[in-house]
Amino acid sequence: MLQGAPVENRAQAAAGKQAAAVNNPGGARGTPKAAECLNTDYSELYYAREEGNTISKLFKDAKLPGGDPQLFIGGEATEARLKKEQNPKVLHLATHAYYLDPSGPSMTFNTDENQNEKEKYRFLRSGLIMNEFGKNNLGQDGIVTALEIALLNLSGTDLVTLSACDSGVGETTPGDNLAGMRTAFHIAGAKAVISSLWSVDDSRGEQIMKQFYQDLLQGKTAGDALRDAKRSVLDSEGHRHPFYWAPFVLEGKDEAVFPHDQQRTKVSNASGK
């Protein structure tokens, strides 16, 4: 699948209906109570393009049913493009994300506003930055809020990977689920979501994602593939601090998205043996 923002982003790729995308964000403007608070100077994610191309090639080489993955880079990784996606088997999004802390000064509510009023904005405080961000595009501001994500059609999607900083952060309410992108993608129908709990080092993020998809396509479960991908960074010199290897977490159904026995049957049938 895809994702994008105006100046720089990480990368995105999806497969199963096979789609993949890469992005670059920048700019500012958007949702009520949020746009005026967003960073307007997003730095370029140099490894985003490489990440998208690498993941796309892995899926192509696997020769999975459903055709080659779709890869959207830079100007193609738009809010409009994302909202057109219908049930990709795997949706990989690499871009900038945002989370606005409701206790921060820019999100302070008037003293006469009660908790119920505050609750209305829970799914607007987090989201993704797409290519239109900061540009004068009619109809699209390049900000895909968690509320908009929840309205996507992902009922046939086995896995969504959010290769973006703070993509797993959200607001908690006693007796309720975390209000953020993780929950929004589940509401949209995704069976499993991988997201990050803090900022992601661009280079190490690309390393984790490459190893993760290599293992996933070999038939490992998403949980095992993610664990081993994080270990590959942990075992590398100079990157043993949890900041580099531990930001990504899996939530939802932990299963083999591409079971090895199914792939073996496919290859056998293709060879006539």
Side-chain angles (χ1 to χ4, degrees), residues 213-222 224-225 255-261 263:
Y213 281 106
Q214 283 178 334
D215 290 346
L216 191 72
L217 289 166
Q218 289 296 318
K220 287 187 179 181
T221 65
D224 286 346
E255 62 181 5
V257 179
F258 305 103
H260 190 64
D261 57 342
Q263 294 188 50

Side-chain angles (χ1 to χ4, degrees), residues 123 146 149-150 177-189 193 251:
F123 281 89
I149 288 169
N177 291 327
L178 179 78
M181 284 192 286
R182 279 191 288 172
T183 300
F185 275 106
H186 283 302
I187 293 173
V193 178
E251 180 179 87

Side-chain angles (χ1 to χ4, degrees), residues 22-245:
V22 181
N23 228 58
N24 301 33
R29 181 188 292 95
T31 58
K33 298 276 187 176
E36 66 272 20
C37 310
L38 293 181
N39 183 353
T40 61
D41 186 27
Y42 286 102
S43 60
E44 183 173 358
L45 298 165
Y46 294 102
Y47 288 86
R49 185 177 299 269
E50 181 177 346
E51 180 178 320
N53 286 327
T54 297
I55 295 171
S56 179
K57 185 178 186 303
L58 287 173
F59 276 102
K60 287 180 180 178
D61 292 346
K63 301 186 185 304
L64 298 170
D68 288 340
Q70 294 177 324
L71 176 64
F72 303 94
I73 299 176
E76 296 180 329
T78 64
E79 176 182 355
R81 176 68 256 184
L82 174 59
K83 290 179 177 179
K84 288 180 181 178
E85 285 302 309
Q86 300 287 320
N87 297 313
K89 184 175 181 65
V90 173
L91 174 60
H92 181 91
L93 305 173
T95 182
H96 282 298
Y98 73 88
Y99 171 67
L100 300 175
D101 188 340
S103 62
S106 60
M107 292 295 289
T108 301
F109 286 80
N110 296 330
T111 55
D112 59 346
E113 287 186 297
N114 59 29
Q115 183 64 25
N116 290 332
E117 182 69 14
K118 181 179 177 181
E119 292 297 310
K120 294 194 304 184
Y121 299 100
R122 291 196 306 154
F123 281 89
L124 296 179
R125 296 194 192 107
S126 61
L128 297 163
I129 303 298
M130 306 300 292
N131 188 266
E132 301 98 330
F133 186 67
K135 300 176 182 177
N136 294 319
N137 289 35
L138 295 177
Q140 304 292 346
D141 57 15
I143 302 171
V144 184
T145 66
L147 183 61
E148 292 173 296
I149 288 169
L151 300 177
L152 298 177
N153 182 8
L154 301 178
S155 58
T157 299
D158 289 334
L159 174 67
V160 171
T161 302
L162 301 175
S163 184
C165 298
D166 302 316
S167 54
V169 180
E171 184 179 348
T172 57
T173 301
D176 199 358
N177 291 327
L178 179 78
M181 284 192 286
R182 279 191 288 172
T183 300
F185 275 106
H186 283 302
I187 293 173
K191 297 180 179 65
V193 178
I194 290 175
S195 59
S196 68
L197 299 179
W198 56 79
S199 296
V200 178
D201 178 82
D202 198 24
S203 176
R204 300 286 73 78
E206 190 270 340
Q207 178 183 344
I208 288 174
M209 290 303 157
K210 178 181 179 181
Q211 185 65 54
F212 169 72
Y213 281 106
Q214 283 178 334
D215 290 346
L216 191 72
L217 289 166
Q218 289 296 318
K220 287 187 179 181
T221 65
D224 286 346
L226 182 60
R227 177 200 62 205
D228 292 346
K230 291 195 285 189
R231 280 180 175 173
S232 71
V233 175
L234 174 62
D235 293 338
S236 62
E237 190 66 34
H239 300 102
R240 293 175 180 172
H241 191 282
F243 168 79
Y244 295 104
W245 60 266

